[in-house]
Amino acid sequence: MRILFMGTGQFGVPTLKSLLGSRHEVIGVVTQPDRPKGRGREMHVSRIKQIALDSGIPVYQPEKVRAEEFVQQVREMSPDAFVVVAFGQIIPKSLLDIPRYGSVNVHASLLPKYRGAAPIHYALFHGETRTGVTTMLMDPGLDTGPMLLQEELEILPEDNTGTLEARLAEIGAPLLLRTLDGLEDGSITPTPQDDSLASYAPSIKKDDCRIQWNIPADDIVNRVRGCSPRPGAFTFHEGTALKVWQCSAAMADGRYSPGEVVSVGGPGILVAAGEGAVLLTEVQPECRKRMGAAEFARGSRIAPGAIFGTPPA
């Protein structure tokens, strides 16, 4: 097949590499425009773009893929299929109608669960023990198209969004190649999604990663896992933001208020939650490096009775 690949995020890297090593012809890569990034605001080139350039594949970076001039440009390419992985723009019907085999999306959930931009984050937020990858034929809706193939994956207790994304990306690449083969030889029958079972995973905002100490300890730990490594779960100590990188659920009696430090020492800082407590073991104070929570407690003179979670006035 003649494939036009659309992707920007790291999740799409294994799929693009697999396509480039397959019998299919990648006729172009569409990715988001370069953006300034970091403290120096230097222009950032996505890994997807760099792989395409290194492979001699034409790269297209339209500000809006729905622009008529870009749609016409794609028509002239005569692709057999689109492969879309973590692209970052909504693809209009005018583009979806072009390839004869359709537009195949590689989505990081077991659809219809977790439709939307952040399925991995939300699977962790909700304490799921299994997730997976779904290939589907795209339609104008939000991840509502008919499913093609699925593969499940166990979520490990130590997984965060970064590690889980990497493992899902690795199973998504061969799943995509099997999907293209099945579409080409007619062995795959698209299966409509059951909308009554759908759940949603909208884009993560910074405040979604602020720790709410009045919820159960297990939920706080899941929130930290889902926000790591980016954008990063955080709380406040004496009005200053404190990122939380590693923590675990623990026991505490009910005489402590949510956010109150129960004890300090050993592996870290034990903080009361709405139910139970959370042991902080790795944190990052604002404008400083990551460190053990015990080291942070010593330097900041944190003692039992201190309160986490109070934002700046």
Side-chain angles (χ1 to χ4, degrees):
M1 287 191 196
R2 290 168 52 82
I3 304 294
L4 183 63
F5 181 90
M6 297 184 176
T8 304
Q10 184 67 24
F11 184 70
V13 167
T15 299
L16 177 57
K17 287 183 174 180
S18 290
L19 277 170
L20 290 171
S22 74
R23 63 185 179 83
H24 301 288
E25 178 188 2
V26 180
I27 61 173
V29 168
V30 185
T31 191
Q32 293 276 61
D34 300 341
R35 308 289 188 196
K37 198 172 184 180
R39 291 183 181 177
R41 307 307 290 163
E42 295 182 2
M43 294 301 288
H44 172 73
V45 175
S46 72
R47 180 78 177 120
I48 291 288
K49 177 180 178 179
Q50 193 59 58
I51 291 170
L53 293 175
D54 291 345
S55 303
I57 305 297
V59 174
Y60 307 91
Q61 295 181 277
E63 284 287 345
K64 296 179 180 179
V65 293
R66 67 174 180 269
E68 181 52 40
E69 58 269 28
F70 179 71
V71 174
Q72 183 56 38
Q73 188 176 21
V74 172
R75 286 195 190 103
E76 292 170 1
M77 295 181 202
S78 300
D80 293 318
F82 295 160
V83 170
V84 183
V85 193
F87 175 47
Q89 290 191 47
I90 295 174
I91 301 174
K93 190 174 185 298
S94 56
L95 274 177
L96 296 177
D97 288 344
I98 292 174
R100 61 173 175 153
Y101 288 106
S103 301
V104 180
N105 178 233
V106 181
H107 185 77
S109 82
L110 297 174
L111 290 171
K113 264 192 168 183
Y114 303 122
R115 295 172 176 173
I120 301 172
H121 297 78
Y122 278 85
L124 290 168
F125 287 172
H126 293 156
E128 300 281 4
T129 58
R130 299 195 70 78
T131 185
V133 176
T134 304
T135 54
M136 69 168 191
L137 285 176
M138 298 178 69
D139 65 14
L142 177 63
D143 299 328
T144 54
M147 299 178 294
L148 299 168
L149 294 177
Q150 284 190 334
E151 185 162 337
E152 289 194 19
L153 182 73
E154 180 184 5
I155 299 177
L156 304 176
E158 63 271 22
D159 268 328
N160 61 26
T161 290
T163 61
L164 185 55
E165 178 184 65
R167 294 199 299 125
L168 288 169
E170 290 300 327
I171 68 170
L175 190 70
L176 181 275
L177 294 182
R178 284 166 45 206
T179 299
L180 294 179
D181 289 345
L183 287 174
E184 196 169 30
D185 65 21
S187 61
I188 292 179
T189 301
T191 304
Q193 295 186 44
D194 184 346
D195 292 341
S196 69
L197 300 177
S199 57
Y200 293 88
S203 297
I204 299 296
K205 299 179 175 59
K206 181 178 179 180
D207 206 51
D208 293 327
C209 292
R210 177 180 170 183
I211 295 172
Q212 306 295 331
W213 291 104
N214 61 341
I215 65 176
D218 286 338
D219 292 342
I220 292 173
V221 172
N222 288 336
R223 183 67 47 161
V224 171
R225 295 168 66 208
C227 289
S228 295
R230 55 188 184 278
F234 68 97
T235 186
F236 293 97
H237 172 249
E238 296 184 346
T240 301
L242 177 72
K243 275 193 175 182
V244 176
W245 289 100
Q246 295 286 342
C247 64
S248 58
M251 300 296 294
D253 60 44
R255 59 195 172 100
Y256 299 97
S257 301
E260 182 179 356
V261 174
V262 175
S263 63
V264 179
I269 307 168
L270 188 65
V271 184
E275 293 177 15
V278 176
L279 180 64
L280 307 182
T281 52
E282 186 177 12
V283 298
Q284 183 176 8
E286 202 165 18
C287 301
R288 295 173 65 187
K289 64 180 179 63
R290 293 168 64 162
M291 63 180 67
E295 178 188 353
F296 170 72
R298 288 192 298 270
S300 301
R301 298 181 179 177
I302 294 173
I307 300 296
F308 282 100
T310 304

PDB file of all heavy atoms in Angstrom, residues 252-285:
ATOM      1  N   ALA A 252      -2.862   4.781  57.987  1.00  0.00           N
ATOM      2  CA  ALA A 252      -2.813   5.819  59.013  1.00  0.00           C
ATOM      3  C   ALA A 252      -4.160   5.857  59.694  1.00  0.00           C
ATOM      4  O   ALA A 252      -5.194   5.574  59.058  1.00  0.00           O
ATOM      5  CB  ALA A 252      -2.473   7.184  58.410  1.00  0.00           C
ATOM      6  N   ASP A 253      -4.174   6.181  60.986  1.00  0.00           N
ATOM      7  CA  ASP A 253      -5.470   6.235  61.668  1.00  0.00           C
ATOM      8  C   ASP A 253      -6.187   7.541  61.334  1.00  0.00           C
ATOM      9  O   ASP A 253      -5.622   8.446  60.707  1.00  0.00           O
ATOM     10  CB  ASP A 253      -5.313   6.034  63.176  1.00  0.00           C
ATOM     11  CG  ASP A 253      -4.444   7.084  63.828  1.00  0.00           C
ATOM     12  OD1 ASP A 253      -4.626   8.268  63.502  1.00  0.00           O
ATOM     13  OD2 ASP A 253      -3.593   6.729  64.668  1.00  0.00           O
ATOM     14  N   GLY A 254      -7.426   7.631  61.760  1.00  0.00           N
ATOM     15  CA  GLY A 254      -8.278   8.736  61.342  1.00  0.00           C
ATOM     16  C   GLY A 254      -8.116  10.028  62.101  1.00  0.00           C
ATOM     17  O   GLY A 254      -8.886  10.967  61.893  1.00  0.00           O
ATOM     18  N   ARG A 255      -7.094  10.136  62.970  1.00  0.00           N
ATOM     19  CA  ARG A 255      -6.983  11.371  63.752  1.00  0.00           C
ATOM     20  C   ARG A 255      -6.213  12.470  63.035  1.00  0.00           C
ATOM     21  O   ARG A 255      -6.021  13.553  63.585  1.00  0.00           O
ATOM     22  CB  ARG A 255      -6.340  11.072  65.113  1.00  0.00           C
ATOM     23  CG  ARG A 255      -4.970  10.466  65.062  1.00  0.00           C
ATOM     24  CD  ARG A 255      -4.583   9.880  66.428  1.00  0.00           C
ATOM     25  NE  ARG A 255      -3.360   9.118  66.379  1.00  0.00           N
ATOM     26  CZ  ARG A 255      -2.175   9.590  66.770  1.00  0.00           C
ATOM     27  NH1 ARG A 255      -2.062  10.818  67.197  1.00  0.00           N
ATOM     28  NH2 ARG A 255      -1.113   8.810  66.716  1.00  0.00           N
ATOM     29  N   TYR A 256      -5.755  12.187  61.820  1.00  0.00           N
ATOM     30  CA  TYR A 256      -5.017  13.191  61.056  1.00  0.00           C
ATOM     31  C   TYR A 256      -5.898  13.779  59.965  1.00  0.00           C
ATOM     32  O   TYR A 256      -6.717  13.088  59.361  1.00  0.00           O
ATOM     33  CB  TYR A 256      -3.761  12.578  60.426  1.00  0.00           C
ATOM     34  CG  TYR A 256      -2.795  12.021  61.452  1.00  0.00           C
ATOM     35  CD1 TYR A 256      -2.792  10.666  61.763  1.00  0.00           C
ATOM     36  CD2 TYR A 256      -1.894  12.857  62.103  1.00  0.00           C
ATOM     37  CE1 TYR A 256      -1.917  10.141  62.698  1.00  0.00           C
ATOM     38  CE2 TYR A 256      -1.013  12.348  63.046  1.00  0.00           C
ATOM     39  CZ  TYR A 256      -1.024  10.991  63.342  1.00  0.00           C
ATOM     40  OH  TYR A 256      -0.157  10.485  64.278  1.00  0.00           O
ATOM     41  N   SER A 257      -5.704  15.053  59.675  1.00  0.00           N
ATOM     42  CA  SER A 257      -6.462  15.714  58.610  1.00  0.00           C
ATOM     43  C   SER A 257      -5.805  15.432  57.267  1.00  0.00           C
ATOM     44  O   SER A 257      -4.573  15.271  57.187  1.00  0.00           O
ATOM     45  CB  SER A 257      -6.504  17.229  58.847  1.00  0.00           C
ATOM     46  OG  SER A 257      -7.108  17.517  60.090  1.00  0.00           O
ATOM     47  N   PRO A 258      -6.583  15.383  56.171  1.00  0.00           N
ATOM     48  CA  PRO A 258      -5.985  15.193  54.851  1.00  0.00           C
ATOM     49  C   PRO A 258      -4.917  16.249  54.560  1.00  0.00           C
ATOM     50  O   PRO A 258      -5.139  17.446  54.773  1.00  0.00           O
ATOM     51  CB  PRO A 258      -7.180  15.338  53.904  1.00  0.00           C
ATOM     52  CG  PRO A 258      -8.352  14.907  54.734  1.00  0.00           C
ATOM     53  CD  PRO A 258      -8.058  15.410  56.111  1.00  0.00           C
ATOM     54  N   GLY A 259      -3.759  15.800  54.109  1.00  0.00           N
ATOM     55  CA  GLY A 259      -2.654  16.703  53.832  1.00  0.00           C
ATOM     56  C   GLY A 259      -1.718  16.917  54.997  1.00  0.00           C
ATOM     57  O   GLY A 259      -0.661  17.540  54.846  1.00  0.00           O
ATOM     58  N   GLU A 260      -2.055  16.388  56.163  1.00  0.00           N
ATOM     59  CA  GLU A 260      -1.218  16.575  57.347  1.00  0.00           C
ATOM     60  C   GLU A 260      -0.097  15.540  57.376  1.00  0.00           C
ATOM     61  O   GLU A 260      -0.320  14.351  57.113  1.00  0.00           O
ATOM     62  CB  GLU A 260      -2.061  16.452  58.610  1.00  0.00           C
ATOM     63  CG  GLU A 260      -1.289  16.692  59.906  1.00  0.00           C
ATOM     64  CD  GLU A 260      -2.166  16.582  61.141  1.00  0.00           C
ATOM     65  OE1 GLU A 260      -3.394  16.396  60.984  1.00  0.00           O
ATOM     66  OE2 GLU A 260      -1.619  16.673  62.262  1.00  0.00           O
ATOM     67  N   VAL A 261       1.111  15.994  57.707  1.00  0.00           N
ATOM     68  CA  VAL A 261       2.254  15.087  57.820  1.00  0.00           C
ATOM     69  C   VAL A 261       2.110  14.251  59.082  1.00  0.00           C
ATOM     70  O   VAL A 261       1.989  14.780  60.191  1.00  0.00           O
ATOM     71  CB  VAL A 261       3.575  15.869  57.835  1.00  0.00           C
ATOM     72  CG1 VAL A 261       4.750  14.925  58.104  1.00  0.00           C
ATOM     73  CG2 VAL A 261       3.779  16.593  56.503  1.00  0.00           C
ATOM     74  N   VAL A 262       2.105  12.932  58.891  1.00  0.00           N
ATOM     75  CA  VAL A 262       1.962  11.994  60.006  1.00  0.00           C
ATOM     76  C   VAL A 262       3.315  11.698  60.622  1.00  0.00           C
ATOM     77  O   VAL A 262       3.484  11.682  61.849  1.00  0.00           O
ATOM     78  CB  VAL A 262       1.295  10.693  59.520  1.00  0.00           C
ATOM     79  CG1 VAL A 262       1.244   9.654  60.631  1.00  0.00           C
ATOM     80  CG2 VAL A 262      -0.087  10.977  58.967  1.00  0.00           C
ATOM     81  N   SER A 263       4.312  11.462  59.769  1.00  0.00           N
ATOM     82  CA  SER A 263       5.654  11.155  60.259  1.00  0.00           C
ATOM     83  C   SER A 263       6.678  11.475  59.182  1.00  0.00           C
ATOM     84  O   SER A 263       6.350  11.552  57.985  1.00  0.00           O
ATOM     85  CB  SER A 263       5.761   9.678  60.668  1.00  0.00           C
ATOM     86  OG  SER A 263       5.558   8.836  59.547  1.00  0.00           O
ATOM     87  N   VAL A 264       7.913  11.651  59.617  1.00  0.00           N
ATOM     88  CA  VAL A 264       9.031  11.936  58.716  1.00  0.00           C
ATOM     89  C   VAL A 264      10.188  11.039  59.117  1.00  0.00           C
ATOM     90  O   VAL A 264      10.488  10.874  60.306  1.00  0.00           O
ATOM     91  CB  VAL A 264       9.460  13.412  58.813  1.00  0.00           C
ATOM     92  CG1 VAL A 264      10.633  13.672  57.876  1.00  0.00           C
ATOM     93  CG2 VAL A 264       8.299  14.336  58.477  1.00  0.00           C
ATOM     94  N   GLY A 265      10.845  10.461  58.106  1.00  0.00           N
ATOM     95  CA  GLY A 265      12.003   9.625  58.407  1.00  0.00           C
ATOM     96  C   GLY A 265      11.990   8.363  57.584  1.00  0.00           C
ATOM     97  O   GLY A 265      11.023   8.066  56.877  1.00  0.00           O
ATOM     98  N   GLY A 266      13.086   7.610  57.676  1.00  0.00           N
ATOM     99  CA  GLY A 266      13.176   6.382  56.891  1.00  0.00           C
ATOM    100  C   GLY A 266      13.089   6.689  55.416  1.00  0.00           C
ATOM    101  O   GLY A 266      13.839   7.514  54.892  1.00  0.00           O
ATOM    102  N   PRO A 267      12.137   6.060  54.710  1.00  0.00           N
ATOM    103  CA  PRO A 267      12.068   6.241  53.258  1.00  0.00           C
ATOM    104  C   PRO A 267      11.467   7.570  52.797  1.00  0.00           C
ATOM    105  O   PRO A 267      11.546   7.889  51.622  1.00  0.00           O
ATOM    106  CB  PRO A 267      11.188   5.069  52.810  1.00  0.00           C
ATOM    107  CG  PRO A 267      10.322   4.785  53.991  1.00  0.00           C
ATOM    108  CD  PRO A 267      11.166   5.065  55.204  1.00  0.00           C
ATOM    109  N   GLY A 268      10.791   8.320  53.686  1.00  0.00           N
ATOM    110  CA  GLY A 268      10.205   9.550  53.183  1.00  0.00           C
ATOM    111  C   GLY A 268       9.262  10.233  54.149  1.00  0.00           C
ATOM    112  O   GLY A 268       9.452  10.197  55.368  1.00  0.00           O
ATOM    113  N   ILE A 269       8.216  10.827  53.588  1.00  0.00           N
ATOM    114  CA  ILE A 269       7.256  11.635  54.336  1.00  0.00           C
ATOM    115  C   ILE A 269       5.892  10.971  54.237  1.00  0.00           C
ATOM    116  O   ILE A 269       5.382  10.761  53.119  1.00  0.00           O
ATOM    117  CB  ILE A 269       7.174  13.068  53.771  1.00  0.00           C
ATOM    118  CG1 ILE A 269       8.559  13.706  53.697  1.00  0.00           C
ATOM    119  CG2 ILE A 269       6.222  13.927  54.596  1.00  0.00           C
ATOM    120  CD1 ILE A 269       8.584  15.011  52.880  1.00  0.00           C
ATOM    121  N   LEU A 270       5.296  10.647  55.354  1.00  0.00           N
ATOM    122  CA  LEU A 270       3.972  10.029  55.381  1.00  0.00           C
ATOM    123  C   LEU A 270       2.931  11.119  55.572  1.00  0.00           C
ATOM    124  O   LEU A 270       2.964  11.855  56.567  1.00  0.00           O
ATOM    125  CB  LEU A 270       3.887   9.005  56.510  1.00  0.00           C
ATOM    126  CG  LEU A 270       2.621   8.134  56.540  1.00  0.00           C
ATOM    127  CD1 LEU A 270       2.556   7.234  55.305  1.00  0.00           C
ATOM    128  CD2 LEU A 270       2.570   7.297  57.815  1.00  0.00           C
ATOM    129  N   VAL A 271       1.992  11.213  54.605  1.00  0.00           N
ATOM    130  CA  VAL A 271       0.991  12.279  54.602  1.00  0.00           C
ATOM    131  C   VAL A 271      -0.398  11.658  54.628  1.00  0.00           C
ATOM    132  O   VAL A 271      -0.701  10.750  53.849  1.00  0.00           O
ATOM    133  CB  VAL A 271       1.143  13.174  53.350  1.00  0.00           C
ATOM    134  CG1 VAL A 271       0.167  14.352  53.401  1.00  0.00           C
ATOM    135  CG2 VAL A 271       2.570  13.678  53.217  1.00  0.00           C
ATOM    136  N   ALA A 272      -1.260  12.156  55.493  1.00  0.00           N
ATOM    137  CA  ALA A 272      -2.619  11.628  55.614  1.00  0.00           C
ATOM    138  C   ALA A 272      -3.438  11.968  54.377  1.00  0.00           C
ATOM    139  O   ALA A 272      -3.316  13.061  53.799  1.00  0.00           O
ATOM    140  CB  ALA A 272      -3.298  12.191  56.858  1.00  0.00           C
ATOM    141  N   ALA A 273      -4.290  11.017  53.972  1.00  0.00           N
ATOM    142  CA  ALA A 273      -5.214  11.220  52.843  1.00  0.00           C
ATOM    143  C   ALA A 273      -6.644  11.128  53.364  1.00  0.00           C
ATOM    144  O   ALA A 273      -6.885  10.989  54.567  1.00  0.00           O
ATOM    145  CB  ALA A 273      -4.953  10.165  51.775  1.00  0.00           C
ATOM    146  N   GLY A 274      -7.604  11.221  52.466  1.00  0.00           N
ATOM    147  CA  GLY A 274      -9.000  11.082  52.865  1.00  0.00           C
ATOM    148  C   GLY A 274      -9.279   9.728  53.479  1.00  0.00           C
ATOM    149  O   GLY A 274     -10.066   9.605  54.418  1.00  0.00           O
ATOM    150  N   GLU A 275      -8.613   8.703  52.946  1.00  0.00           N
ATOM    151  CA  GLU A 275      -8.604   7.361  53.538  1.00  0.00           C
ATOM    152  C   GLU A 275      -7.176   6.863  53.475  1.00  0.00           C
ATOM    153  O   GLU A 275      -6.566   6.849  52.412  1.00  0.00           O
ATOM    154  CB  GLU A 275      -9.515   6.402  52.761  1.00  0.00           C
ATOM    155  CG  GLU A 275     -10.991   6.714  52.844  1.00  0.00           C
ATOM    156  CD  GLU A 275     -11.816   5.767  51.983  1.00  0.00           C
ATOM    157  OE1 GLU A 275     -11.273   4.717  51.562  1.00  0.00           O
ATOM    158  OE2 GLU A 275     -12.985   6.085  51.723  1.00  0.00           O
ATOM    159  N   GLY A 276      -6.607   6.456  54.627  1.00  0.00           N
ATOM    160  CA  GLY A 276      -5.237   5.993  54.645  1.00  0.00           C
ATOM    161  C   GLY A 276      -4.251   7.140  54.544  1.00  0.00           C
ATOM    162  O   GLY A 276      -4.549   8.286  54.891  1.00  0.00           O
ATOM    163  N   ALA A 277      -3.064   6.813  54.039  1.00  0.00           N
ATOM    164  CA  ALA A 277      -2.008   7.813  53.927  1.00  0.00           C
ATOM    165  C   ALA A 277      -1.153   7.512  52.706  1.00  0.00           C
ATOM    166  O   ALA A 277      -1.208   6.417  52.144  1.00  0.00           O
ATOM    167  CB  ALA A 277      -1.155   7.818  55.189  1.00  0.00           C
ATOM    168  N   VAL A 278      -0.351   8.499  52.324  1.00  0.00           N
ATOM    169  CA  VAL A 278       0.535   8.362  51.175  1.00  0.00           C
ATOM    170  C   VAL A 278       1.965   8.597  51.635  1.00  0.00           C
ATOM    171  O   VAL A 278       2.265   9.610  52.283  1.00  0.00           O
ATOM    172  CB  VAL A 278       0.167   9.366  50.068  1.00  0.00           C
ATOM    173  CG1 VAL A 278       1.166   9.289  48.915  1.00  0.00           C
ATOM    174  CG2 VAL A 278      -1.245   9.109  49.560  1.00  0.00           C
ATOM    175  N   LEU A 279       2.845   7.653  51.318  1.00  0.00           N
ATOM    176  CA  LEU A 279       4.260   7.792  51.639  1.00  0.00           C
ATOM    177  C   LEU A 279       4.971   8.409  50.432  1.00  0.00           C
ATOM    178  O   LEU A 279       5.114   7.762  49.386  1.00  0.00           O
ATOM    179  CB  LEU A 279       4.871   6.437  51.969  1.00  0.00           C
ATOM    180  CG  LEU A 279       6.357   6.460  52.328  1.00  0.00           C
ATOM    181  CD1 LEU A 279       6.606   7.259  53.605  1.00  0.00           C
ATOM    182  CD2 LEU A 279       6.908   5.035  52.462  1.00  0.00           C
ATOM    183  N   LEU A 280       5.412   9.647  50.560  1.00  0.00           N
ATOM    184  CA  LEU A 280       6.170  10.318  49.510  1.00  0.00           C
ATOM    185  C   LEU A 280       7.619   9.861  49.596  1.00  0.00           C
ATOM    186  O   LEU A 280       8.237   9.951  50.663  1.00  0.00           O
ATOM    187  CB  LEU A 280       6.101  11.836  49.679  1.00  0.00           C
ATOM    188  CG  LEU A 280       4.714  12.480  49.805  1.00  0.00           C
ATOM    189  CD1 LEU A 280       4.841  14.001  49.908  1.00  0.00           C
ATOM    190  CD2 LEU A 280       3.821  12.090  48.643  1.00  0.00           C
ATOM    191  N   THR A 281       8.164   9.381  48.480  1.00  0.00           N
ATOM    192  CA  THR A 281       9.544   8.897  48.492  1.00  0.00           C
ATOM    193  C   THR A 281      10.467   9.657  47.541  1.00  0.00           C
ATOM    194  O   THR A 281      11.674   9.669  47.738  1.00  0.00           O
ATOM    195  CB  THR A 281       9.600   7.396  48.153  1.00  0.00           C
ATOM    196  OG1 THR A 281       8.886   7.167  46.932  1.00  0.00           O
ATOM    197  CG2 THR A 281       8.978   6.577  49.274  1.00  0.00           C
ATOM    198  N   GLU A 282       9.918  10.290  46.500  1.00  0.00           N
ATOM    199  CA  GLU A 282      10.739  11.104  45.602  1.00  0.00           C
ATOM    200  C   GLU A 282       9.949  12.341  45.195  1.00  0.00           C
ATOM    201  O   GLU A 282       8.814  12.230  44.717  1.00  0.00           O
ATOM    202  CB  GLU A 282      11.165  10.328  44.351  1.00  0.00           C
ATOM    203  CG  GLU A 282      12.141  11.119  43.481  1.00  0.00           C
ATOM    204  CD  GLU A 282      12.627  10.345  42.264  1.00  0.00           C
ATOM    205  OE1 GLU A 282      12.051   9.284  41.964  1.00  0.00           O
ATOM    206  OE2 GLU A 282      13.576  10.819  41.612  1.00  0.00           O
ATOM    207  N   VAL A 283      10.561  13.509  45.387  1.00  0.00           N
ATOM    208  CA  VAL A 283       9.872  14.773  45.115  1.00  0.00           C
ATOM    209  C   VAL A 283      10.819  15.715  44.386  1.00  0.00           C
ATOM    210  O   VAL A 283      12.017  15.425  44.227  1.00  0.00           O
ATOM    211  CB  VAL A 283       9.375  15.432  46.427  1.00  0.00           C
ATOM    212  CG1 VAL A 283       8.364  14.541  47.145  1.00  0.00           C
ATOM    213  CG2 VAL A 283      10.545  15.766  47.352  1.00  0.00           C
ATOM    214  N   GLN A 284      10.278  16.859  43.963  1.00  0.00           N
ATOM    215  CA  GLN A 284      11.098  17.875  43.302  1.00  0.00           C
ATOM    216  C   GLN A 284      10.593  19.258  43.684  1.00  0.00           C
ATOM    217  O   GLN A 284       9.546  19.694  43.201  1.00  0.00           O
ATOM    218  CB  GLN A 284      11.067  17.701  41.781  1.00  0.00           C
ATOM    219  CG  GLN A 284      11.966  18.695  41.052  1.00  0.00           C
ATOM    220  CD  GLN A 284      12.008  18.436  39.551  1.00  0.00           C
ATOM    221  OE1 GLN A 284      11.248  17.612  39.034  1.00  0.00           O
ATOM    222  NE2 GLN A 284      12.889  19.121  38.862  1.00  0.00           N
ATOM    223  N   PRO A 285      11.318  19.951  44.553  1.00  0.00           N
ATOM    224  CA  PRO A 285      10.918  21.325  44.882  1.00  0.00           C
ATOM    225  C   PRO A 285      11.033  22.232  43.659  1.00  0.00           C
ATOM    226  O   PRO A 285      11.787  21.939  42.719  1.00  0.00           O
ATOM    227  CB  PRO A 285      11.926  21.748  45.958  1.00  0.00           C
ATOM    228  CG  PRO A 285      12.554  20.472  46.434  1.00  0.00           C
ATOM    229  CD  PRO A 285      12.511  19.528  45.270  1.00  0.00           C
TER     230      PRO A 285
END
